[in-house]
């Protein structure tokens, strides 16, 4: 897998039936390693190691309903009260982040109501803070660290 624009992290891998898998600390199982999964696992480590979010507040790849359709989010970080702090959309490194990606995460966030959004393909990272009152978001230079 290619080097991403994150710090260097240590991962556990296994090879089975000519497929490489990576261990997901959140889901507590090995997941087949795809370019998007490589990005997702870097995001999880970034949240844990750089931003100090507790593992117990991070959730990976769960289904949600958006306008009656089943969708799947990549990573969510909850607040202690159960509301959503950060919603993260991961793309494979070769996928260019375009307006459609922001539209996708904005649609998800109409349901989820996260305070912060992150969109990344592992090479480019975008962070936003929601302004629900004015129905817009403001770009940030980085994601804030975990605060109790």
């Amino acid at each position: 897998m290619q080097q991403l624009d994150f710090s260097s992290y240590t991962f556990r891998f296994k090879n089975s039936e000519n497929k490489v898998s990576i261990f997901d600390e959140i889901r507590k199982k090995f997941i087949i390693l795809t370019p998007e999964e490589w990005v997702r696992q870097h995001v999880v480590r970034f949240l844990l190691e750089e931003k100090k979010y507790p593992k117990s507040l991070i959730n990976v790849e769960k289904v949600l309903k958006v306008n009656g359709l089943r969708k799947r989010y990549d990573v969510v970080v909850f607040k202690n009260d159960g509301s959503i702090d950060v919603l993260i959309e991961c793309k494979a490194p070769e996928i260019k982040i375009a307006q459609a990606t922001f539209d996708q995460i904005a649609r998800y966030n109409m349901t989820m109501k996260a305070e912060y959004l992150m969109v990344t393909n592992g090479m480019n990272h975008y962070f936003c803070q929601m302004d629900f009152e004015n129905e817009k978001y403001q770009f940030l230079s980085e994601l804030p660290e975990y605060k109790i």
Side-chain angles (χ1 to χ4, degrees):
M1 287 284 151
Q2 77 182 79
Q3 180 69 41
L4 302 177
D5 186 27
F6 283 102
S7 298
S8 190
Y9 304 118
T10 304
F11 296 102
R12 286 174 47 205
F13 299 97
K14 98 175 171 185
N15 203 330
S16 173
E17 298 173 21
N18 290 329
K19 289 198 167 102
V20 176
S21 295
I22 188 168
F23 189 76
D24 182 318
E25 286 187 48
I26 306 303
R27 292 178 275 186
K28 295 182 173 38
K29 64 181 182 178
F30 281 93
I31 307 294
I32 290 179
L33 186 59
T34 63
E36 183 177 322
E37 191 61 44
W38 184 235
V39 172
R40 191 167 22 253
Q41 291 306 314
H42 276 78
V43 166
V44 167
R45 287 299 176 86
F46 166 75
L47 293 169
L48 293 170
E49 297 180 25
E50 316 282 323
K51 297 301 177 180
K52 309 299 184 208
Y53 284 94
K55 194 186 295 188
S56 61
L57 296 179
I58 300 173
N59 205 308
V60 177
E61 279 222 308
K62 292 281 194 251
V63 172
L64 73 147
K65 283 218 188 272
V66 178
N67 297 330
L69 301 172
R70 289 169 50 95
K71 301 291 183 180
R72 185 178 287 271
Y73 63 73
D74 286 308
V75 182
V76 161
V77 181
F78 291 94
K79 295 180 183 175
N80 287 323
D81 68 4
S83 63
I84 297 174
D85 196 18
V86 187
L87 173 60
I88 302 164
E89 179 62 29
C90 302
K91 297 293 184 192
E94 69 273 9
I95 304 293
K96 188 174 183 334
I97 296 191
Q99 186 60 47
T101 311
F102 288 101
D103 293 346
Q104 176 187 4
I105 199 169
R107 278 193 308 276
Y108 288 9
N109 206 37
M110 284 180 199
T111 301
M112 303 188 78
K113 307 275 190 257
E115 184 173 352
Y116 296 98
L117 306 176
M118 176 179 175
V119 174
T120 183
N121 63 3
M123 306 308 285
N124 304 102
H125 317 296
Y126 300 93
F127 311 102
C128 306
Q129 183 170 16
M130 294 303 301
D131 176 353
F132 290 106
E133 204 171 290
N134 297 306
E135 297 183 347
K136 60 183 185 179
Y137 48 82
Q138 172 186 337
F139 282 94
L140 304 172
S141 58
E142 63 180 76
L143 195 64
E145 279 200 16
Y146 174 71
K147 54 192 175 297
I148 297 173

